[in-house]
């Protein structure tokens, strides 16, 4: 067993552990923390695969900004936010069966797909460092979609401000 | 064994990484210990006091005595606090503050530096994780001062992270790389430290990093006179020590980042690289203590306005100017 493979299994175990914890916690703030753990674990997987930029962007945006946003929302709304204790009823049984079926389906699809073997002799970064390669792709090959996405984000941002302001004036 | 940067992960290289981490941890602890001592001496000097001078020659062992005192104190967890989070929060706050040391090149040969291609981004990303620790500490303490301190701290660190990040983009544009080693080499190659062409970015960086470190005049999260001590008011003993350690670890890391990005890192004439680095780090740290001794605290309503309406436009202007100059050259 090589080092990266062991690291992969350890990190995957951490991610799955955090995900299971997130589902089993009853307090919302614990859930936010567990989901932060999942995000950090995913970033570790990206780093392990050599995608430095994506890995760090994952930490910056998901583990940093989004988790903090969730915590802010939880703290500002309800201090004692807890879910009622779990009990089996028809709906829960149905969703459990659905989840198991979905899991089996996904497993079968993954198993039956022929995955292309990566050619390790080809440098996906084209001889540049990883962030340079991503910049080249974003600003040359995909310049127009990139600009459109930034436009969408601006519209969402301004829209959120306008919505929030409108409500204040009504009061 | 020691050149783990250029080879795949193996057992000896993992052991070498562990040894490297322990060496850097000891170095950082030593720096933090004497930063606190120097802070108290400088503040004493500026306020016409003597400062610590009892323990050891010139009071040199004062901080060690203080740390020992904190370690053997009773560890109190308030009865109404959220026990698990209360214990976890100092760890979440401390771990990133030490991890960011991995990307800072201490000397020309930087034996223990990770040479990450995205070093600058790595620093920014990890320092955002500390906000979780601070916020959770405030929330888990179940104390209104702690909660307000934690919220203030999170809001302040989040909003000042944006001008901080943007002020670094100018430097990255100059060097054409996010790698801290490459940025130092580019400055050495140009024969000019970034502080001169990037003077606007440097000013924004100085202000935003002071706010990011929660130091005077931006120490609102800890405002002793209004919030008692902010998010760590309920903490005692070694958990409190961890928060203090985080704070001073970040001071050291931010000083290292400032020296690397704007002051040429380890490059300089005559003296060896590590000494140049130490001098530049000390300059930044001294500047912080100087501010602490001479400036009053910001008002809470001025704080956010200043970040969003002054620093952010300045950082953007700097970015555009750098881009234009770079394109014309």
């Amino acid at each position: 067993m090589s080092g990266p493979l062991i690291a992969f299994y350890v990190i995957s175990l951490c991610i799955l552990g955090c995900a299971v914890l997130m589902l089993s916690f009853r307090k919302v703030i614990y859930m936010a923390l567990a989901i932060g753990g999942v995000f950090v674990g995913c970033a570790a997987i990206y780093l392990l695969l050599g995608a430095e930029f994506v890995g760090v962007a994952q930490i910056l945006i998901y583990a940093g900004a989004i988790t903090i946003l969730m915590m802010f929302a939880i703290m500002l709304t309800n201090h004692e936010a807890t879910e009622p204790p779990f009990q089996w009823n028809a709906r829960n049984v149905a969703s459990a069966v659905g989840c198991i079926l979905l899991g089996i389906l996904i497993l079968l699809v993954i198993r039956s797909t022929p995955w292309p073997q990566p050619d390790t002799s080809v440098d996906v970064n084209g001889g540049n460092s990883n962030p340079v390669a991503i910049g080249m792709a974003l600003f040359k090959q995909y310049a127009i979609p990139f600009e459109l996405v930034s436009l969408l984000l601006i519209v969402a941002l301004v829209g959120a401000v306008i919505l929030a302001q409108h409500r204040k004036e009504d009061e | 064994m020691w050149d783990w940067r250029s080879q795949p992960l193996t057992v000896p290289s993992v052991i070498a990484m562990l040894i490297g981490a322990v060496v850097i941890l000891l170095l950082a602890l030593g720096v933090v210990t004497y930063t606190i001592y120097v802070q108290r001496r400088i503040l004493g000097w500026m306020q016409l006091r003597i400062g610590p001078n009892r323990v050891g020659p010139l009071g040199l062992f004062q901080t060690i005595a203080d740390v020992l005192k904190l370690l053997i104190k009773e560890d109190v967890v308030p009865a109404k606090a959220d026990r698990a989070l209360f214990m976890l929060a100092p760890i979440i706050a401390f771990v990133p503050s030490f991890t960011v040391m991995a990307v800072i090149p201490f000397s020309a040969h930087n034996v223990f530096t990770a040479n990450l291609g995205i070093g600058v981004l790595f620093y920014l990303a990890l320092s955002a994780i500390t906000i979780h620790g601070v916020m959770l500490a405030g929330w888990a303490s179940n104390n209104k001062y702690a909660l307000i301190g934690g919220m203030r701290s999170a809001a302040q660190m989040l909003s000042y992270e944006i001008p901080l990040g943007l002020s670094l983009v100018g430097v990255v544009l100059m060097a054409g790389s996010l790698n801290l080693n490459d940025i130092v080499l580019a400055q050495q190659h140009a024969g000019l430290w970034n502080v001169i062409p990037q003077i606007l970015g440097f000013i924004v960086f100085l202000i935003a990093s002071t706010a990011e470190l929660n130091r005077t005049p931006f120490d609102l999260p800890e405002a002793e006179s209004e919030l008692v001590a902010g998010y760590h008011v309920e903490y005692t003993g070694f958990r409190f020590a961890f928060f203090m350690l985080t704070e001073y670890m970040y001071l050291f890391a931010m000083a290292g980042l400032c020296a690397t990005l704007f002051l040429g890192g380890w490059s300089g004439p005559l003296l060896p690289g590590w000494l140049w680095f130490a001098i530049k780090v000390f300059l930044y740290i001294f500047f912080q203590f100087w501010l602490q001794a001479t400036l009053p605290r910001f008002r809470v309503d001025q704080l956010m306005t200043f970040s969003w309406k002054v620093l952010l436009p300045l950082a953007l202007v700097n970015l555009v100017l750098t881009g234009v100059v770079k394109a014309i050259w």
Side-chain angles (χ1 to χ4, degrees):
Chain A
M1 272 244 276
S2 64
L5 198 63
I6 298 172
F8 172 77
Y9 280 120
V10 172
I11 295 168
S12 309
L13 209 63
C14 289
I15 297 178
L16 290 177
C18 281
V20 170
L21 277 179
M22 191 233 150
L23 290 177
S24 58
F25 278 143
R26 299 283 106 190
K27 267 190 175 172
V28 186
I29 192 118
Y30 282 49
M31 292 181 186
L33 199 63
I35 214 169
V38 173
F39 290 147
V40 172
C42 291
I45 292 269
Y46 291 140
L47 287 179
L48 197 66
L49 290 173
E52 293 175 340
F53 185 82
V54 181
V56 174
Q58 166 89 12
I59 295 182
L60 188 67
I61 296 166
Y62 283 90
I66 290 189
T67 313
I68 288 179
L69 210 64
M70 277 195 260
M71 286 184 184
F72 256 112
I74 294 163
M75 288 179 189
L76 289 176
T77 45
N78 189 357
H79 190 70
E80 292 297 330
T82 44
E83 281 191 0
F86 181 79
Q87 45 192 193
W88 285 105
N89 54 28
R91 195 171 142 224
N92 283 340
V93 171
S95 24
V97 171
C99 285
I100 292 169
L101 286 180
L102 183 69
I104 293 171
L105 186 71
I106 291 174
L107 195 68
L108 286 178
V109 170
I110 291 175
R111 283 294 190 173
S112 61
T113 310
W115 296 100
Q117 283 301 310
D119 184 359
T120 44
S121 62
V122 177
D123 185 4
V124 284
N125 290 334
N128 295 313
S129 65
N130 182 250
V132 175
I134 288 179
M136 291 286 185
L138 269 187
F139 293 106
K140 287 197 167 153
Q141 201 177 349
Y142 299 107
I144 293 174
F146 179 76
E147 293 298 328
L148 286 179
V149 167
S150 62
L151 203 67
L152 186 71
L153 285 177
I154 293 251
V155 169
L157 202 69
V158 174
V161 170
I162 288 175
L163 280 180
Q165 203 136 39
H166 192 67
R167 200 173 297 157
K168 221 179 239 174
E169 280 167 7
D170 281 348
E171 287 166 4
Chain B
M1 182 173 171
W2 297 107
D3 52 345
W4 62 70
R5 287 181 273 162
S6 53
Q7 51 175 244
L9 203 63
T10 55
V11 175
S13 65
V14 169
I15 294 171
M17 283 181 195
L18 281 178
I19 295 172
V22 171
V23 170
I24 296 293
L25 181 64
L26 292 179
L27 175 82
L29 287 179
V31 169
V32 166
T33 308
Y34 283 95
T35 304
I36 296 172
Y37 169 76
V38 167
Q39 171 183 20
R40 296 177 65 183
R41 291 295 287 206
I42 289 178
L43 287 183
W45 171 59
M46 286 189 179
Q47 295 164 352
L48 297 179
R49 298 184 284 116
I50 298 171
N53 67 341
R54 291 288 139 185
V55 190
L58 293 172
L60 276 172
F61 300 141
Q62 180 65 51
T63 319
I64 299 169
D66 286 345
V67 170
L68 264 181
K69 181 200 77 178
L70 281 178
L71 289 183
I72 56 177
K73 258 174 125 174
E74 188 192 351
D75 174 32
V76 183
V77 180
K80 288 288 176 68
D82 189 320
R83 204 177 161 81
L85 279 187
F86 189 82
M87 292 184 169
L88 200 61
I91 302 171
I92 298 179
F94 172 71
V95 170
S97 79
F98 175 59
T99 315
V100 294
M101 299 281 177
V103 293
I104 292 176
F106 294 107
S107 73
H109 306 294
N110 47 70
V111 189
F112 297 128
T113 303
N115 200 27
L116 267 183
I118 28 93
V120 178
L121 213 56
F122 182 82
Y123 185 102
L124 288 177
L126 279 185
S127 65
I129 304 276
T130 293
I131 307 175
H132 290 92
V134 168
M135 241 175 124
L136 287 176
W139 186 84
S141 300
N142 212 351
N143 172 320
K144 53 181 172 291
Y145 295 120
L147 186 63
I148 294 172
M151 292 295 231
R152 268 192 190 181
S153 183
Q156 175 179 329
M157 284 160 97
L158 274 183
S159 37
Y160 276 88
E161 196 155 85
I162 295 159
L164 184 76
L166 278 176
S167 71
L168 302 184
V169 178
V171 174
V172 172
L173 264 181
M174 299 273 296
S177 170
L178 283 161
N179 186 330
L180 289 172
N181 288 313
D182 289 353
I183 290 173
V184 174
L185 286 176
Q187 291 177 71
Q188 203 181 25
H189 181 70
L192 191 66
W193 292 348
N194 275 335
V195 63
I196 298 164
Q198 286 289 321
I199 183 71
L200 197 56
F202 181 65
I203 293 168
V204 173
F205 175 85
L206 266 190
I207 299 171
S209 65
T210 310
E212 192 72 12
L213 294 170
N214 292 337
R215 296 203 71 85
T216 325
F218 301 99
D219 60 342
L220 290 117
E222 286 168 37
E224 305 93 332
S225 47
E226 42 187 294
L227 285 184
V228 196
Y231 61 88
H232 52 54
V233 62
E234 292 288 1
Y235 279 87
T236 50
F238 72 95
R239 291 183 210 288
F240 175 75
F242 257 80
F243 278 118
M244 282 291 116
L245 187 62
T246 307
E247 197 167 297
Y248 283 90
M249 206 68 123
Y250 267 123
L251 181 63
F252 178 38
M254 195 62 94
L257 193 70
C258 177
T260 307
L261 292 176
F262 290 100
L263 303 176
W266 40 260
S267 64
L270 295 175
L271 297 172
W274 61 269
L275 194 56
W276 270 115
F277 186 79
I279 291 170
K280 289 161 184 172
V281 163
F282 180 74
L283 276 181
Y284 181 88
I285 292 178
F286 175 78
F287 177 73
Q288 291 294 338
F289 297 154
W290 190 11
L291 287 186
Q292 188 180 359
T294 45
L295 286 181
R297 189 178 301 129
F298 251 72
R299 241 176 36 218
V300 71
D301 58 321
Q302 298 167 330
L303 185 81
M304 293 296 156
T305 326
F306 184 68
S307 167
W308 293 99
K309 291 190 178 165
V310 181
L311 282 186
L312 190 61
L314 266 183
L316 282 174
V317 165
N318 176 52
L319 182 59
V320 171
L321 278 182
T322 314
V324 168
V325 169
K326 179 103 177 165
I328 293 171
W329 233 253

